[in-house]
Amino acid sequence: MLHYAIVFLIVALIAGVLGFGGIAGTAAWIAKVLFVVFLVLFVVSLIRRNT
């Protein structure tokens, strides 16, 4: 999950440098969503492991 968030972040950065604003915005939004999902799943796994 974190891997895909990083990939979309890199795509957003490259698209932003090349001037593709719409694609860069969409890729950045997807990267944010995937990162939040990763954080939630990570915290849940930590809580389940310690109980």
Side-chain angles (χ1 to χ4, degrees):
M1 184 81 54
L2 184 60
H3 173 73
Y4 290 121
I6 293 171
V7 168
F8 275 106
L9 179 62
I10 292 171
V11 168
L13 290 173
I14 292 172
V17 168
L18 295 176
F20 300 107
I23 295 172
T26 303
W29 179 77
I30 292 171
K32 286 180 196 177
V33 169
L34 289 176
F35 186 70
V36 169
V37 170
F38 165 76
L39 285 179
V40 169
L41 291 175
F42 180 70
V43 169
V44 168
S45 69
L46 283 178
I47 291 171
R48 286 194 50 152
R49 187 173 189 207
N50 289 331
T51 58

